[in-house]
Amino acid sequence: MSTPLQVTARLRVPVTEIDHIRGPLDAPVTIVQYGDFQCPFCGAAHPNLAELLRQRRDTVRLVYRHFPITNLHPYAERAAEVAEAAGRRGRFWEMHDWLYEHQDQLDPVHLSLGVEQLGLLPDEIDAEVDRHTYGDRVRHDFTGGIRSGVNGTPTLFIGDHRHEGGVDLPDLLTAVDATPTPTPTP
Amino acid sequence: MTGPDGLIRPGTPAPDFTLPATPDGRRTGPGQFRGRPVVLAFYPADWSPVCGDQMALYQAAMPEFARYDAVVLGISVDSLWSHRAFAEARGVRFPLLADFEPKGEVTRGYGVYTPQGQAGRALVVVDPAGAVAWSYLSPAEVNPGADGILDALDQLGTGRQVTAR
């Protein structure tokens, strides 16, 4: 086997309809984020990504995939499974936003309160999460991330390429604006 | 045999060694795991932010390595005591080996000792027979992730050997 000087990580799991997608489905630029709800760096990136989607609303769509690093973040796996349970009810992004906006409240008690705030039934969601109904889904995201070269959180892929720059808004705008977009078909 | 960057090359027998390891301080090394693939993850230092990410990431990825029955060993020139605190802080449960005395001896044997007196950020996959199957030197500031390791393990075709074990 060869030893290239530098491996360029590429997204190996294409975006499909099972993904959580925010923004226009036919947006020319797709950002795939691998994130961990308890990761402070993901928390810091969250408002920047939201603002990016606002400023480039016709250009960019965001895909969110789970990458809980549970040895660092004991609440991350449960948070991811709760987001999936909300997603089953069409509320993934609301739950996603709540989680990133309440990163100091991810313990089970406060998490249930968050679920309730969204108007979902905590008992129902807790039961599903306790059965790990969505464990395979979260694992599937994680495994695909590892195979694609996710090396921490947040890791972003812009198009198929791992984004090596920062996640401040100017960095993100620069990266998105430099991404070649397909010529629209007439 | 080493490549232009000094790193040990595929096809070379992996130099055997044992070093003190967390969590219990007993010595361990690749030779104790013949019959299984061994991943040697050399890294510059405990506590530097990138390292923390890399070792914490490999802990999180352990179920993927387990599918190949692979053993993962982290190696730096830090002392066992530093390793122990670092492993505890990052939830790392696989062995971190202390190439501390004589300093960097094992790291030199794999061609990844740097002029700064640390290990380079190098990955070496040793096949079940003890030969280097894949090696990769990452820029020190870049966490190389696990995709290259898993690809190398795929190439070994160890899936079949796992069932035989």
Side-chain angles (χ1 to χ4, degrees), chain B residues 60-124:
Chain B
M62 211 43 80
E64 306 313 313
F65 297 127
R67 285 149 60 116
Y68 301 90
D69 199 30
V71 175
V72 179
L73 304 174
I75 305 171
S76 80
V77 299
D78 293 289
S79 78
L80 196 59
W81 304 105
S82 176
H83 275 339
R84 193 169 288 182
F86 176 64
E88 200 173 298
R90 304 292 157 89
V92 171
R93 294 185 296 277
F94 62 87
L96 299 180
L97 276 52
D99 195 11
F100 182 71
E101 177 58 37
K103 187 187 169 198
E105 189 178 45
V106 167
T107 305
R108 282 175 218 273
Y110 280 78
V112 288
Y113 195 71
T114 68
Q116 292 75 36
Q118 297 178 322
R121 196 176 297 283
L123 298 170
V124 178

Side-chain angles (χ1 to χ4, degrees), chain B residues 38-55:
Chain B
V38 176
V39 178
L40 302 176
F42 293 91
Y43 63 101
D46 292 337
W47 305 111
S48 75
V50 178
C51 300
D53 285 343
Q54 190 186 353
M55 295 301 123

Side-chain angles (χ1 to χ4, degrees), chain A residues 9 12 15 20-21 44 46 51 71 83 93 97 102 125 132 157 165 175 179 182:
Chain A
R12 297 200 202 171
V15 175
H20 303 293
I21 304 173
H46 169 65
E51 182 60 19
N71 43 303
W93 288 105
D97 291 349
H102 299 79
I125 295 217
H132 291 293
F157 291 85
T179 301

Side-chain angles (χ1 to χ4, degrees), chain A residues 41-42 44-49 154-156 163 165-172:
Chain A
F41 303 102
C42 297
H46 169 65
N48 303 337
L49 287 163
T155 289
L156 305 181
H163 171 62
V167 291
D168 289 340
L169 183 60
D171 298 324
L172 293 172

Side-chain angles (χ1 to χ4, degrees), chain A residues 3 12 139 146-147 151, chain B residues 64 68 135 143 150-151 154:
Chain A
T3 307
R12 297 200 202 171
R139 194 76 221 161
I146 275 286
R147 300 297 317 215
N151 60 358
Chain B
E64 306 313 313
Y68 301 90
S135 61
N143 175 350
L150 293 170
D151 287 348
D154 272 340

